[in-house]
Amino acid sequence: MADSVPVRCPTCRRENAFTPPTFPCACGAPLTLPVLRGGIPVEILHRTWQSSWVEVRCETCGRLDEWPAPESGCACGTVVRVPVVPVPTPPPPNLPAPGSTAAAPPNGPPRRPPVLRPAFRPVTIRTAGDCVTAAAQYLKWLGFTDIARVPERTASGVDLRGSGVVAQVDPTTRATKLREIECLWLNALNDSAVAVCFSLAGYSRDARARADALHIPLFVMDLTGTPQPVNDPADELIRDGTGR
């Protein structure tokens, strides 16, 4: 459990002990929100979606994600938002000197630049339906703008369809199995579409291996509703976007 830190109420000046929350990162490591010691808590008078999330980098895998902003309540009734340590701004890339020629990549053609997108706004997961909604929002964020939910889940397990994409969303607490990956791939093959899979509990080892072989992007979802890539095809889909 994370160590508690003192948080002074701005209303009654009472000092309360606050334990920063810990969340599971997609890499499996526990991530404790790094509360800024000595930071000034801000009373929450009204809530907005943007102010309810903070960016924190996992110290284990280096992944930068958005997490629920830590809040602390006082006996006087005041609720404050506790500040966290800000994520350091990365240094600018080294640019070639004027008149110089940039070195060519050692192998193959130059890599295409990543698609620029606004920050993804997750949908908090409380029900199985929320999982499907979060996956649909994520696919739209990736560029599949006409995503629609399948009215009745078919035996093949397809939950979402759009132009050039079919997706399965597994909201159960068991790992997604090999058969589900293969059925999804056959559906995508029949529709000449990209197959994408989302799972709340991850994937069995043979399912993961088959998805890698078939080049199917796999994502895991946490309760904040933020899908995380778990294989190379998923990383490529995020980097290149749809239609690239």
Side-chain angles (χ1 to χ4, degrees):
M1 180 179 293
D3 295 333
S4 63
V5 296
V7 174
R8 186 175 297 279
C9 175
T11 302
C12 69
R13 311 305 296 171
R14 181 185 285 109
E15 194 171 83
N16 301 294
F18 173 72
T19 302
T22 299
F23 300 100
C25 179
C27 71
L31 183 147
T32 301
L33 298 189
V35 171
L36 182 63
R37 292 183 177 270
I40 301 175
V42 178
E43 182 179 1
I44 300 175
L45 299 176
H46 66 277
R47 298 179 184 275
T48 64
W49 181 262
Q50 184 174 5
S51 64
S52 297
W53 299 87
V54 291
E55 284 191 333
V56 176
R57 190 180 301 279
C58 176
E59 294 183 355
T60 301
C61 67
R63 189 185 304 276
L64 181 64
D65 284 328
E66 288 189 330
W67 301 95
E71 298 178 1
S72 175
C74 181
C76 72
T78 300
V79 179
V80 298
R81 185 169 293 112
V82 183
V84 300
V85 177
V87 177
T89 303
N94 293 326
L95 301 177
S100 65
T101 302
N107 295 306
R111 178 176 291 180
R112 293 173 297 189
V115 177
L116 298 179
R117 308 182 186 90
F120 175 67
R121 297 299 177 189
V123 177
T124 302
I125 293 176
R126 298 183 179 88
T127 66
D130 291 337
C131 288
V132 180
T133 300
Q137 292 296 105
Y138 194 75
L139 288 172
K140 291 178 181 179
W141 179 74
L142 288 174
F144 299 99
T145 55
D146 61 346
I147 292 295
R149 186 179 301 203
V150 175
E152 185 174 350
R153 199 176 202 263
T154 61
S156 60
V158 172
D159 296 283
L160 298 166
R161 290 185 183 273
S163 298
V165 65
V166 294
Q168 181 193 67
V169 184
D170 186 353
T172 65
T173 55
R174 59 167 180 79
T176 302
K177 297 191 178 300
L178 171 63
R179 180 182 180 279
E180 297 170 82
I181 296 297
E182 291 179 334
C183 288
L184 176 64
W185 177 74
L186 289 173
N187 273 275
L189 190 65
N190 186 58
D191 291 355
S192 299
V194 175
V196 185
C197 193
F198 299 87
S199 178
L200 195 62
Y203 303 87
S204 64
R205 182 173 299 180
D206 55 354
R208 168 73 182 272
R210 185 60 54 87
D212 289 344
L214 297 175
H215 208 73
I216 296 177
L218 300 181
F219 294 87
V220 294
M221 307 176 75
D222 55 34
L223 296 182
T224 68
T226 305
Q228 301 294 343
V230 297
N231 63 353
D232 290 341
D235 286 328
E236 292 172 11
L237 184 61
I238 294 173
R239 185 184 68 240
D240 297 339
T242 176
R244 295 293 295 271

